Amino acid sequence: MNEIIAPLVDEIIRALGTTLNRAIVEDELTRLLEFKVPPEEARRSLLKKYGVSEVRRLSDLQGGERDIEITARILDINLKVVGIKDQERNIFMGTMADETGAKSFTAWKDFGLEPGDVVRVNNAYIRTWQGMPEINFGPRSKVEKLDRDTLDALATADVDRAFPLAELVEGAAAVHTIFRILECRHKEITTKNGPRTIVSGTAADHSAKLPFTSWESNPTLVQGTTVEVKNAYIKLWRGVPTINLSEFSTISRSDTDISNDELSPLLNHEPVRLDSITGRDGVFDAIIEGSLISIRPGSGLIIRCPQCSRVIQKNTCRVHGVVEGIYDMRIKSILDDGTGALTVVLDADLTQKVTGYSIEKAREVAASAMNQSAVEDEMRRRLLGRSMLARGNMTKGEYGITLVADDASLTEMDTAAEAAALIKEMGYAGPVQSGGT
Amino acid sequence: MIERELAWRVFAHEFNHSHHFFHEGDERSPNYLVTPTGARINRLYFVGVLTEIENIGVGEDMWRGRVSDHTGGFMVYAGQYQLEAAMFLSGLEVPSFVAVVGKARTFEPEKGTIYTSVRPEELNRVDGQVRDRWVVETARLTFERIWSVRTALESGLKGPQLVNMLIQSGASTELADGINRAIEHYPDLKEYLEILSGTIIDSLKTLLPDTIKTDGTKEVDTVIDKSQALDSATSAVENVPLPEAQPDGKELVYELLGNLDKGRGVPVSELTDRSGQIGLTGDQVDDALKGLMSEGRCYEPKIGILRRV
């Protein structure tokens, strides 16, 4: 027996540290093996019982992990009162960072933590919250405050790097970035704690344009200024990554201004190539151009329920029964520029703009063909193969990548000039300049 | 979320020189045709001139159309499972400009002989602007791929290292993978890229302002003087006479072809005779016709009969 358990005991003691009596481990292990528990299972059982967590870095945490140990600095923490089973409870939510990155956390009891504290947390677990892994610790977890200097050398490097806007993804916490405010407005909103002024607007740098919302008003947030923000977080709002600034974020005027030159592709409204944006979660106010290679079924003349706006057939809504439908038009198209493809949706106004059809005319066409889909066919005939410029927010969802157009127009090219320019460019061995990447 | 396969832009010349078809994963995963420039085609989009249409089906309909760009022709097949496309094709007049979105297919009647074709998903009649624009955009994207393949060949890298290098230099993951496969599969890639570049430059030249107009000629000359295009697109370009070397032969034949055609095309013999009357030699007429055909401006509906596109 001893030959089997001795190495196992050694291993367990090594893993648990010296805090445990060797005799206890031997006893318990022997007992488990008497129950014919396989040695590997027995080892696991003991490690679990005496609470050994796996040491992990923040950047590789995945939802669903349990019993892990992390060491990180609290960047911000705030109290939230939540109702759990009709009882009010205080929980603490915030952001923590180690040398590999930052993550949100929730502490389910008061550990007396302050921003700046460096803590070692044992027995934490990871839950996926709003699509991102979040660190959780509660009564079963052990939280130990360390010397505040412990992480100093480490915590600064990557967490302090300012990220370009195009790299900010949903769920990112403790975000440091620099942007220019293209526009902003103050809004009064009502919260459960009374009225409150928030600031929302558009941020831009050389890489992208993103909306931002500051939940606190701040005198630095003025149109035209370049600001540096720290401890912001990114949430998807209507499918587009949005910079959120809370009371725990710092907002200051940047030392260097972002110039018009750096923003010129954005300010000049140049279309971007699809391969440069289809990899992103969502894009705010994208401008794209490509060929219309498909007009999807359900385009053309449609009828909507007057109460819920669902598209209905034969004046029957599947929720509201028989209703007097409202005529509308739309186009669901596939735009493809040879580097990527997405669905572009046009509303009635834009449908009229690109096809010349008003709703009245579409109804006449449908009536004379005695077929509603005659409009769709006619639009397909007019549009398929044509090039279109479209502008709007790009989002990703179950049905793929979609851009709901705020504006759209058909475009023509001076093909002689473009051909001449291309022949000239090809005279050199170098790459062909691709517009807008 | 299933990502939609993008519609690649390739010229018929490249499409018809492709013979590496692959399929990975389970039966539902897509098939790909890898072209010499590394386009990894499941779906493609092209605009050209319908120059032939024929029902080749026995018993049931199978329409076969040939859609030509300036570099060659795409064979498009539509049968009982592409009813809409078949109906559309069968109702088209030859010639017309058509835009085609479809899936790449291959047919291997015997080992080593592979024919590529297209199964259409969407078809539409379009105008010359749409065709010309497709030529420019396809040329640009193809040149970019040629450049990437050349970079890849020069690097001497292979496999994952090559793929990484290409992605770092801005290629999409699909293209990087395609180029890696193309380099493994096509032995005389360098030579083929030369030929392809030349063909594309020729194709672009057909979009330049009409060479017979004096102001237009000036513009073309400036373009060609300034560009060093002839250096890189060597042989193929040199074979095509510059505008001033043959200022009118081609255009005269083109004019004649239009005037003589009473709706059913013009026999070659008649065209040669009438060209002779205005002082062109038989060789000049042959050259002119070859030029017009390769530019996609005329075609041969039946052997010995010519028509303008």
mmCIF file of all heavy atoms in Angstrom, chain A residues 298-302 304 327-333 343-359 379 383 388 390-391 402-409:
data_model
loop_
_atom_site.group_PDB
_atom_site.id
_atom_site.type_symbol
_atom_site.label_atom_id
_atom_site.label_comp_id
_atom_site.label_asym_id
_atom_site.label_seq_id
_atom_site.Cartn_x
_atom_site.Cartn_y
_atom_site.Cartn_z
ATOM 1 N N GLY A 298 -38.327 38.911 -49.804
ATOM 2 C CA GLY A 298 -38.842 39.777 -48.741
ATOM 3 C C GLY A 298 -38.518 41.234 -49.002
ATOM 4 O O GLY A 298 -38.843 42.101 -48.201
ATOM 5 N N SER A 299 -37.869 41.512 -50.143
ATOM 6 C CA SER A 299 -37.609 42.894 -50.533
ATOM 7 C C SER A 299 -38.803 43.401 -51.341
ATOM 8 O O SER A 299 -39.662 42.618 -51.737
ATOM 9 C CB SER A 299 -36.352 42.977 -51.389
ATOM 10 O OG SER A 299 -35.226 42.533 -50.674
ATOM 11 N N GLY A 300 -38.804 44.711 -51.592
ATOM 12 C CA GLY A 300 -39.858 45.276 -52.431
ATOM 13 C C GLY A 300 -41.009 45.801 -51.596
ATOM 14 O O GLY A 300 -40.806 46.422 -50.560
ATOM 15 N N LEU A 301 -42.214 45.522 -52.069
ATOM 16 C CA LEU A 301 -43.408 45.997 -51.378
ATOM 17 C C LEU A 301 -43.769 45.016 -50.273
ATOM 18 O O LEU A 301 -43.873 43.814 -50.510
ATOM 19 C CB LEU A 301 -44.558 46.101 -52.381
ATOM 20 C CG LEU A 301 -45.844 46.756 -51.892
ATOM 21 C CD1 LEU A 301 -45.606 48.214 -51.540
ATOM 22 C CD2 LEU A 301 -46.932 46.630 -52.953
ATOM 23 N N ILE A 302 -43.935 45.536 -49.056
ATOM 24 C CA ILE A 302 -44.305 44.653 -47.942
ATOM 25 C C ILE A 302 -45.470 45.289 -47.193
ATOM 26 O O ILE A 302 -45.769 46.468 -47.363
ATOM 27 C CB ILE A 302 -43.117 44.425 -46.970
ATOM 28 C CG1 ILE A 302 -42.537 45.771 -46.517
ATOM 29 C CG2 ILE A 302 -42.046 43.573 -47.616
ATOM 30 C CD1 ILE A 302 -41.515 45.659 -45.418
ATOM 31 N N ARG A 304 -47.158 45.716 -43.294
ATOM 32 C CA ARG A 304 -46.833 45.565 -41.870
ATOM 33 C C ARG A 304 -48.082 45.641 -41.012
ATOM 34 O O ARG A 304 -49.055 46.299 -41.373
ATOM 35 C CB ARG A 304 -45.891 46.690 -41.427
ATOM 36 C CG ARG A 304 -44.522 46.633 -42.065
ATOM 37 C CD ARG A 304 -43.616 47.665 -41.409
ATOM 38 N NE ARG A 304 -42.318 47.744 -42.061
ATOM 39 C CZ ARG A 304 -41.307 46.918 -41.780
ATOM 40 N NH1 ARG A 304 -41.460 45.977 -40.881
ATOM 41 N NH2 ARG A 304 -40.153 47.050 -42.406
ATOM 42 N N TYR A 327 -48.837 49.595 -45.921
ATOM 43 C CA TYR A 327 -47.854 49.324 -46.975
ATOM 44 C C TYR A 327 -46.516 49.978 -46.657
ATOM 45 O O TYR A 327 -46.461 51.084 -46.122
ATOM 46 C CB TYR A 327 -48.355 49.831 -48.332
ATOM 47 C CG TYR A 327 -49.367 48.900 -48.945
ATOM 48 C CD1 TYR A 327 -50.726 49.081 -48.732
ATOM 49 C CD2 TYR A 327 -48.941 47.820 -49.715
ATOM 50 C CE1 TYR A 327 -51.653 48.215 -49.280
ATOM 51 C CE2 TYR A 327 -49.866 46.943 -50.263
ATOM 52 C CZ TYR A 327 -51.216 47.147 -50.047
ATOM 53 O OH TYR A 327 -52.111 46.278 -50.589
ATOM 54 N N ASP A 328 -45.456 49.271 -46.981
ATOM 55 C CA ASP A 328 -44.109 49.778 -46.730
ATOM 56 C C ASP A 328 -43.204 49.175 -47.811
ATOM 57 O O ASP A 328 -43.609 48.257 -48.532
ATOM 58 C CB ASP A 328 -43.658 49.342 -45.327
ATOM 59 C CG ASP A 328 -42.399 50.074 -44.874
ATOM 60 O OD1 ASP A 328 -41.965 51.013 -45.573
ATOM 61 O OD2 ASP A 328 -41.846 49.685 -43.826
ATOM 62 N N MET A 329 -41.992 49.700 -47.927
ATOM 63 C CA MET A 329 -41.028 49.121 -48.868
ATOM 64 C C MET A 329 -39.715 48.912 -48.141
ATOM 65 O O MET A 329 -39.382 49.642 -47.211
ATOM 66 C CB MET A 329 -40.748 50.076 -50.036
ATOM 67 C CG MET A 329 -41.850 50.192 -51.058
ATOM 68 S SD MET A 329 -41.222 51.007 -52.549
ATOM 69 C CE MET A 329 -40.622 52.559 -51.890
ATOM 70 N N ARG A 330 -38.956 47.954 -48.579
ATOM 71 C CA ARG A 330 -37.599 47.781 -48.077
ATOM 72 C C ARG A 330 -36.819 46.958 -49.091
ATOM 73 O O ARG A 330 -37.400 46.291 -49.955
ATOM 74 C CB ARG A 330 -37.590 47.077 -46.725
ATOM 75 C CG ARG A 330 -37.978 45.622 -46.834
ATOM 76 C CD ARG A 330 -37.718 44.853 -45.557
ATOM 77 N NE ARG A 330 -38.300 43.526 -45.684
ATOM 78 C CZ ARG A 330 -38.634 42.755 -44.659
ATOM 79 N NH1 ARG A 330 -38.444 43.167 -43.429
ATOM 80 N NH2 ARG A 330 -39.136 41.554 -44.857
ATOM 81 N N ILE A 331 -35.489 47.017 -48.957
ATOM 82 C CA ILE A 331 -34.637 46.144 -49.753
ATOM 83 C C ILE A 331 -33.647 45.481 -48.813
ATOM 84 O O ILE A 331 -33.004 46.154 -48.000
ATOM 85 C CB ILE A 331 -33.900 46.921 -50.859
ATOM 86 C CG1 ILE A 331 -34.894 47.325 -51.945
ATOM 87 C CG2 ILE A 331 -32.783 46.081 -51.477
ATOM 88 C CD1 ILE A 331 -34.308 48.169 -53.027
ATOM 89 N N LYS A 332 -33.588 44.170 -48.902
ATOM 90 C CA LYS A 332 -32.542 43.433 -48.195
ATOM 91 C C LYS A 332 -31.598 42.931 -49.280
ATOM 92 O O LYS A 332 -31.994 42.104 -50.098
ATOM 93 C CB LYS A 332 -33.144 42.255 -47.427
ATOM 94 C CG LYS A 332 -34.029 42.701 -46.277
ATOM 95 C CD LYS A 332 -34.227 41.590 -45.256
ATOM 96 C CE LYS A 332 -35.292 40.615 -45.697
ATOM 97 N NZ LYS A 332 -35.533 39.571 -44.672
ATOM 98 N N SER A 333 -30.396 43.460 -49.281
ATOM 99 C CA SER A 333 -29.489 43.126 -50.380
ATOM 100 C C SER A 333 -28.183 42.575 -49.837
ATOM 101 O O SER A 333 -27.860 42.766 -48.671
ATOM 102 C CB SER A 333 -29.193 44.386 -51.190
ATOM 103 O OG SER A 333 -28.541 45.330 -50.365
ATOM 104 N N THR A 343 -25.034 41.967 -45.479
ATOM 105 C CA THR A 343 -26.401 42.316 -45.837
ATOM 106 C C THR A 343 -26.591 43.807 -45.603
ATOM 107 O O THR A 343 -26.227 44.321 -44.550
ATOM 108 C CB THR A 343 -27.391 41.532 -44.952
ATOM 109 O OG1 THR A 343 -27.124 40.149 -45.103
ATOM 110 C CG2 THR A 343 -28.824 41.816 -45.357
ATOM 111 N N VAL A 344 -27.130 44.501 -46.593
ATOM 112 C CA VAL A 344 -27.456 45.915 -46.420
ATOM 113 C C VAL A 344 -28.965 46.053 -46.519
ATOM 114 O O VAL A 344 -29.581 45.563 -47.468
ATOM 115 C CB VAL A 344 -26.770 46.791 -47.490
ATOM 116 C CG1 VAL A 344 -27.206 48.249 -47.350
ATOM 117 C CG2 VAL A 344 -25.260 46.684 -47.375
ATOM 118 N N VAL A 345 -29.549 46.690 -45.506
ATOM 119 C CA VAL A 345 -30.998 46.855 -45.469
ATOM 120 C C VAL A 345 -31.345 48.320 -45.744
ATOM 121 O O VAL A 345 -30.778 49.224 -45.121
ATOM 122 C CB VAL A 345 -31.560 46.432 -44.092
ATOM 123 C CG1 VAL A 345 -33.074 46.574 -44.073
ATOM 124 C CG2 VAL A 345 -31.161 44.996 -43.773
ATOM 125 N N LEU A 346 -32.254 48.541 -46.690
ATOM 126 C CA LEU A 346 -32.689 49.894 -47.019
ATOM 127 C C LEU A 346 -34.151 50.052 -46.618
ATOM 128 O O LEU A 346 -34.967 49.161 -46.856
ATOM 129 C CB LEU A 346 -32.573 50.146 -48.528
ATOM 130 C CG LEU A 346 -31.224 49.888 -49.201
ATOM 131 C CD1 LEU A 346 -31.312 50.248 -50.686
ATOM 132 C CD2 LEU A 346 -30.114 50.688 -48.548
ATOM 133 N N ASP A 347 -34.482 51.202 -46.010
ATOM 134 C CA ASP A 347 -35.881 51.444 -45.664
ATOM 135 C C ASP A 347 -36.619 52.015 -46.882
ATOM 136 O O ASP A 347 -36.053 52.118 -47.980
ATOM 137 C CB ASP A 347 -35.967 52.388 -44.455
ATOM 138 C CG ASP A 347 -35.414 53.775 -44.764
ATOM 139 O OD1 ASP A 347 -35.144 54.068 -45.955
ATOM 140 O OD2 ASP A 347 -35.265 54.575 -43.828
ATOM 141 N N ALA A 348 -37.879 52.400 -46.683
ATOM 142 C CA ALA A 348 -38.695 52.833 -47.821
ATOM 143 C C ALA A 348 -38.091 54.046 -48.539
ATOM 144 O O ALA A 348 -38.049 54.095 -49.769
ATOM 145 C CB ALA A 348 -40.115 53.151 -47.347
ATOM 146 N N ASP A 349 -37.605 55.031 -47.763
ATOM 147 C CA ASP A 349 -37.049 56.234 -48.389
ATOM 148 C C ASP A 349 -35.839 55.900 -49.249
ATOM 149 O O ASP A 349 -35.706 56.379 -50.377
ATOM 150 C CB ASP A 349 -36.634 57.249 -47.322
ATOM 151 C CG ASP A 349 -37.848 57.919 -46.687
ATOM 152 O OD1 ASP A 349 -38.943 57.800 -47.280
ATOM 153 O OD2 ASP A 349 -37.695 58.512 -45.614
ATOM 154 N N LEU A 350 -34.934 55.072 -48.691
ATOM 155 C CA LEU A 350 -33.728 54.732 -49.446
ATOM 156 C C LEU A 350 -34.069 53.810 -50.619
ATOM 157 O O LEU A 350 -33.440 53.893 -51.677
ATOM 158 C CB LEU A 350 -32.685 54.097 -48.530
ATOM 159 C CG LEU A 350 -32.095 55.069 -47.497
ATOM 160 C CD1 LEU A 350 -31.149 54.342 -46.551
ATOM 161 C CD2 LEU A 350 -31.358 56.215 -48.188
ATOM 162 N N THR A 351 -35.057 52.953 -50.439
ATOM 163 C CA THR A 351 -35.499 52.106 -51.547
ATOM 164 C C THR A 351 -35.969 52.989 -52.697
ATOM 165 O O THR A 351 -35.622 52.768 -53.862
ATOM 166 C CB THR A 351 -36.635 51.167 -51.090
ATOM 167 O OG1 THR A 351 -36.145 50.351 -50.033
ATOM 168 C CG2 THR A 351 -37.118 50.291 -52.231
ATOM 169 N N GLN A 352 -36.732 54.028 -52.347
ATOM 170 C CA GLN A 352 -37.203 54.945 -53.381
ATOM 171 C C GLN A 352 -36.027 55.672 -54.028
ATOM 172 O O GLN A 352 -35.980 55.853 -55.242
ATOM 173 C CB GLN A 352 -38.193 55.956 -52.778
ATOM 174 C CG GLN A 352 -38.686 56.957 -53.806
ATOM 175 C CD GLN A 352 -39.915 57.721 -53.336
ATOM 176 O OE1 GLN A 352 -40.400 57.532 -52.225
ATOM 177 N NE2 GLN A 352 -40.422 58.592 -54.191
ATOM 178 N N LYS A 353 -35.041 56.031 -53.181
ATOM 179 C CA LYS A 353 -33.891 56.764 -53.709
ATOM 180 C C LYS A 353 -33.119 55.933 -54.742
ATOM 181 O O LYS A 353 -32.698 56.464 -55.769
ATOM 182 C CB LYS A 353 -32.970 57.168 -52.553
ATOM 183 C CG LYS A 353 -31.833 58.066 -52.947
ATOM 184 C CD LYS A 353 -31.053 58.527 -51.726
ATOM 185 C CE LYS A 353 -29.755 59.195 -52.155
ATOM 186 N NZ LYS A 353 -28.821 59.352 -51.032
ATOM 187 N N VAL A 354 -32.917 54.646 -54.480
ATOM 188 C CA VAL A 354 -32.094 53.862 -55.410
ATOM 189 C C VAL A 354 -32.895 53.213 -56.545
ATOM 190 O O VAL A 354 -32.326 52.861 -57.564
ATOM 191 C CB VAL A 354 -31.235 52.779 -54.706
ATOM 192 C CG1 VAL A 354 -30.303 53.388 -53.694
ATOM 193 C CG2 VAL A 354 -32.095 51.716 -54.055
ATOM 194 N N THR A 355 -34.211 53.055 -56.362
ATOM 195 C CA THR A 355 -34.980 52.407 -57.432
ATOM 196 C C THR A 355 -35.903 53.373 -58.160
ATOM 197 O O THR A 355 -36.407 53.054 -59.238
ATOM 198 C CB THR A 355 -35.873 51.275 -56.882
ATOM 199 O OG1 THR A 355 -36.804 51.842 -55.956
ATOM 200 C CG2 THR A 355 -35.059 50.209 -56.197
ATOM 201 N N GLY A 356 -36.178 54.533 -57.551
ATOM 202 C CA GLY A 356 -37.119 55.460 -58.151
ATOM 203 C C GLY A 356 -38.572 55.085 -57.897
ATOM 204 O O GLY A 356 -39.480 55.737 -58.405
ATOM 205 N N TYR A 357 -38.807 54.055 -57.122
ATOM 206 C CA TYR A 357 -40.174 53.616 -56.837
ATOM 207 C C TYR A 357 -40.698 54.269 -55.568
ATOM 208 O O TYR A 357 -40.101 54.145 -54.509
ATOM 209 C CB TYR A 357 -40.200 52.100 -56.609
ATOM 210 C CG TYR A 357 -40.409 51.289 -57.853
ATOM 211 C CD1 TYR A 357 -39.623 51.515 -58.971
ATOM 212 C CD2 TYR A 357 -41.377 50.300 -57.907
ATOM 213 C CE1 TYR A 357 -39.807 50.767 -60.116
ATOM 214 C CE2 TYR A 357 -41.557 49.546 -59.044
ATOM 215 C CZ TYR A 357 -40.769 49.789 -60.151
ATOM 216 O OH TYR A 357 -40.945 49.041 -61.270
ATOM 217 N N SER A 358 -41.850 54.932 -55.664
ATOM 218 C CA SER A 358 -42.532 55.352 -54.446
ATOM 219 C C SER A 358 -43.435 54.191 -54.030
ATOM 220 O O SER A 358 -43.678 53.266 -54.814
ATOM 221 C CB SER A 358 -43.380 56.587 -54.723
ATOM 222 O OG SER A 358 -44.340 56.272 -55.711
ATOM 223 N N ILE A 359 -43.932 54.252 -52.803
ATOM 224 C CA ILE A 359 -44.829 53.183 -52.347
ATOM 225 C C ILE A 359 -46.059 53.113 -53.257
ATOM 226 O O ILE A 359 -46.514 52.034 -53.629
ATOM 227 C CB ILE A 359 -45.239 53.409 -50.873
ATOM 228 C CG1 ILE A 359 -44.020 53.209 -49.974
ATOM 229 C CG2 ILE A 359 -46.348 52.444 -50.454
ATOM 230 C CD1 ILE A 359 -44.274 53.363 -48.496
ATOM 231 N N MET A 379 -37.284 45.312 -58.899
ATOM 232 C CA MET A 379 -36.148 45.937 -58.208
ATOM 233 C C MET A 379 -34.872 45.132 -58.420
ATOM 234 O O MET A 379 -33.791 45.685 -58.591
ATOM 235 C CB MET A 379 -36.459 46.076 -56.719
ATOM 236 C CG MET A 379 -37.480 47.164 -56.465
ATOM 237 S SD MET A 379 -37.851 47.334 -54.724
ATOM 238 C CE MET A 379 -39.001 48.728 -54.807
ATOM 239 N N LEU A 383 -31.396 46.526 -59.960
ATOM 240 C CA LEU A 383 -30.252 46.714 -59.064
ATOM 241 C C LEU A 383 -29.147 45.679 -59.193
ATOM 242 O O LEU A 383 -27.980 45.994 -58.971
ATOM 243 C CB LEU A 383 -30.734 46.716 -57.606
ATOM 244 C CG LEU A 383 -31.658 47.855 -57.215
ATOM 245 C CD1 LEU A 383 -32.084 47.703 -55.762
ATOM 246 C CD2 LEU A 383 -30.972 49.211 -57.411
ATOM 247 N N MET A 388 -23.203 50.156 -55.222
ATOM 248 C CA MET A 388 -23.899 51.014 -54.268
ATOM 249 C C MET A 388 -22.953 51.446 -53.157
ATOM 250 O O MET A 388 -22.104 50.685 -52.709
ATOM 251 C CB MET A 388 -25.104 50.281 -53.669
ATOM 252 C CG MET A 388 -25.992 51.150 -52.811
ATOM 253 S SD MET A 388 -27.550 50.331 -52.387
ATOM 254 C CE MET A 388 -27.017 49.297 -51.030
ATOM 255 N N ALA A 390 -23.022 52.789 -49.310
ATOM 256 C CA ALA A 390 -23.975 52.782 -48.195
ATOM 257 C C ALA A 390 -23.272 53.227 -46.924
ATOM 258 O O ALA A 390 -22.066 53.047 -46.769
ATOM 259 C CB ALA A 390 -24.572 51.394 -48.004
ATOM 260 N N ARG A 391 -24.058 53.815 -46.037
ATOM 261 C CA ARG A 391 -23.509 54.325 -44.793
ATOM 262 C C ARG A 391 -24.426 53.936 -43.649
ATOM 263 O O ARG A 391 -25.647 54.074 -43.768
ATOM 264 C CB ARG A 391 -23.442 55.847 -44.907
ATOM 265 C CG ARG A 391 -22.889 56.513 -43.697
ATOM 266 C CD ARG A 391 -22.685 57.979 -43.967
ATOM 267 N NE ARG A 391 -22.139 58.568 -42.766
ATOM 268 C CZ ARG A 391 -21.751 59.814 -42.671
ATOM 269 N NH1 ARG A 391 -21.854 60.619 -43.704
ATOM 270 N NH2 ARG A 391 -21.253 60.273 -41.543
ATOM 271 N N THR A 402 -24.731 42.612 -40.799
ATOM 272 C CA THR A 402 -25.765 43.458 -41.385
ATOM 273 C C THR A 402 -25.424 44.929 -41.214
ATOM 274 O O THR A 402 -24.898 45.339 -40.184
ATOM 275 C CB THR A 402 -27.125 43.196 -40.696
ATOM 276 O OG1 THR A 402 -27.418 41.811 -40.764
ATOM 277 C CG2 THR A 402 -28.230 43.975 -41.366
ATOM 278 N N LEU A 403 -25.723 45.706 -42.241
ATOM 279 C CA LEU A 403 -25.611 47.147 -42.133
ATOM 280 C C LEU A 403 -26.987 47.729 -42.444
ATOM 281 O O LEU A 403 -27.516 47.505 -43.529
ATOM 282 C CB LEU A 403 -24.547 47.679 -43.096
ATOM 283 C CG LEU A 403 -24.280 49.182 -43.031
ATOM 284 C CD1 LEU A 403 -22.780 49.452 -43.063
ATOM 285 C CD2 LEU A 403 -24.948 49.948 -44.152
ATOM 286 N N VAL A 404 -27.564 48.409 -41.462
ATOM 287 C CA VAL A 404 -28.831 49.082 -41.701
ATOM 288 C C VAL A 404 -28.474 50.480 -42.184
ATOM 289 O O VAL A 404 -27.853 51.251 -41.463
ATOM 290 C CB VAL A 404 -29.689 49.128 -40.426
ATOM 291 C CG1 VAL A 404 -30.967 49.906 -40.673
ATOM 292 C CG2 VAL A 404 -30.003 47.717 -39.956
ATOM 293 N N ALA A 405 -28.838 50.773 -43.424
ATOM 294 C CA ALA A 405 -28.321 51.989 -44.051
ATOM 295 C C ALA A 405 -29.017 53.243 -43.536
ATOM 296 O O ALA A 405 -30.241 53.279 -43.406
ATOM 297 C CB ALA A 405 -28.487 51.885 -45.563
ATOM 298 N N ASP A 406 -28.222 54.257 -43.207
ATOM 299 C CA ASP A 406 -28.752 55.591 -42.935
ATOM 300 C C ASP A 406 -28.806 56.370 -44.237
ATOM 301 O O ASP A 406 -29.567 57.311 -44.389
ATOM 302 C CB ASP A 406 -27.841 56.347 -41.955
ATOM 303 C CG ASP A 406 -27.803 55.667 -40.606
ATOM 304 O OD1 ASP A 406 -28.845 55.140 -40.191
ATOM 305 O OD2 ASP A 406 -26.724 55.636 -39.983
ATOM 306 N N ASP A 407 -27.915 55.990 -45.160
ATOM 307 C CA ASP A 407 -27.931 56.615 -46.474
ATOM 308 C C ASP A 407 -27.384 55.607 -47.478
ATOM 309 O O ASP A 407 -26.602 54.735 -47.114
ATOM 310 C CB ASP A 407 -27.068 57.889 -46.478
ATOM 311 C CG ASP A 407 -27.348 58.735 -47.723
ATOM 312 O OD1 ASP A 407 -28.330 58.439 -48.441
ATOM 313 O OD2 ASP A 407 -26.584 59.676 -47.979
ATOM 314 N N ALA A 408 -27.819 55.738 -48.717
ATOM 315 C CA ALA A 408 -27.337 54.829 -49.756
ATOM 316 C C ALA A 408 -27.545 55.491 -51.103
ATOM 317 O O ALA A 408 -28.479 56.278 -51.281
ATOM 318 C CB ALA A 408 -28.087 53.507 -49.705
ATOM 319 N N SER A 409 -26.659 55.208 -52.044
ATOM 320 C CA SER A 409 -26.868 55.707 -53.404
ATOM 321 C C SER A 409 -26.123 54.813 -54.382
ATOM 322 O O SER A 409 -25.120 54.186 -54.033
ATOM 323 C CB SER A 409 -26.352 57.144 -53.521
ATOM 324 O OG SER A 409 -25.013 57.209 -53.082
#
